[in-house]
Every structure is written in C-alpha cells, then in structure tokens.
Amino acid sequence: MAGSRRAYIKIEYAGQDITEALSNSVTILQYVDKASGSADELTITCHDREGHWHNDWYPKIAYAPPQPPEPPYDYTEMAQALQNGTTAANLQRLIDESDLTPEQGRTLQRVTPTATWRDFTSRNPQYRGFEGKLLLIQDIKRGIIR
C-alpha cells in the first residue's frame, strides 16, 4: 500500500520566508488550477492572534490618488479659423495641436474646404456659423461624422 500524499507550503512575503511564522496560523489554503492561458489562484487565510499583520508584515500598497479627468479640449481657435477662412496648412497645424486623432483630422480637412463646404452645409445646416463649426468638430470627435 502506497503512503498518502502530503502537501507542504512555503510562504514568502516581501522577499522573506515566513512559512514557520505562519505554520500555526493558516486556517484555509485554497489552490485553483485554471485553464491554460489563465493565471492559477492561491488563497491563504490565516488568523492573526499573534498580531503579525499589524506591524512590519502589514501590506504596504503604493497609493496614487485618483486624477481628475482632463478638461475637454477647447476647439474655439480651430472653429474661429474655419469661420474666418484658413489655409489647409494652418488647419493641419491646429489639428496637430489638438486632441483629434489623425483620422478625425482628415475628416475635418475633407469636409471643410470651400469646394465641398457649401454642399456639406446645405445637407447639414446645423454646422453653419461659428457655433456650427464648434459642433462639427465635436461631432467628428464623437464619431458622428466620419
């Protein structure tokens, strides 16, 4: 008759072997062997009657306070340039300085030249005037116009 199998654990925390210190504290040891491509899971539950986890062993977690969201980009200068008439090079400079993606910039360049603008605004009158130009840029940014 073969002997029974026994499992032993070795526990390291913060680069130190704490197996002996925890050997009488472990209440549950759970191992989950996940499918290939997923990380296995190991859960160790201990009591803390000795107070180990209140001092040096207490996990030190780097905390970074949440950052406020970036304010939305101000497209006023770009809309003003479109309203007053601008060169393709100047519009491209404004696009490059903005948060528009290259694809969004190409869309703006495609719909705003004088040759296509009249036809575009006759089908989309909401984009006329300065406020309309702001709306156009925002709609391109939101993916409404592609």
Side-chain angles (χ1 to χ4, degrees):
M1 181 171 187
S4 63
R5 291 176 36 178
R6 296 190 54 131
Y8 297 93
I9 60 171
K10 178 179 179 182
I11 304 168
E12 287 188 16
Y13 179 75
Q16 293 184 332
D17 184 349
I18 60 171
T19 307
E20 188 175 327
L22 288 184
S23 62
N24 293 324
S25 301
V26 176
T27 58
I28 299 171
L29 176 68
Q30 180 180 13
Y31 173 73
V32 178
D33 185 9
K34 296 268 185 132
S36 177
S38 297
D40 295 341
E41 291 179 9
L42 178 66
T43 303
I44 302 172
T45 305
C46 303
H47 66 72
D48 193 23
R49 292 184 196 120
E50 292 83 18
H52 291 300
W53 297 98
H54 291 288
N55 299 310
D56 293 339
W57 290 1
Y58 189 81
K60 291 155 185 68
I61 301 170
Y63 174 73
Q67 298 296 315
E70 297 236 353
Y73 186 83
D74 182 5
Y75 299 107
T76 305
E77 185 180 359
M78 192 181 300
Q80 194 64 53
L82 288 168
Q83 180 65 22
N84 296 338
T86 187
T87 64
N90 187 52
L91 180 56
Q92 187 60 53
R93 178 189 62 79
L94 293 169
I95 291 168
D96 292 342
E97 293 172 358
S98 76
D99 66 346
L100 293 177
T101 67
E103 181 181 340
Q104 292 166 341
R106 285 190 294 276
T107 300
L108 186 62
Q109 289 275 24
R110 180 176 45 80
V111 300
T112 57
T114 305
T116 56
W117 185 247
R118 284 192 182 103
D119 183 48
F120 182 77
T121 55
S122 68
R123 290 179 284 121
N124 302 283
Q126 69 272 26
Y127 298 126
R128 292 182 183 149
F130 174 75
E131 294 297 324
K133 306 290 189 304
L134 278 175
L135 178 61
L136 171 69
I137 297 165
Q138 292 163 357
D139 283 354
I140 289 172
K141 182 70 181 164
R142 288 189 290 252
I144 295 171
I145 297 176
R146 296 179 188 250

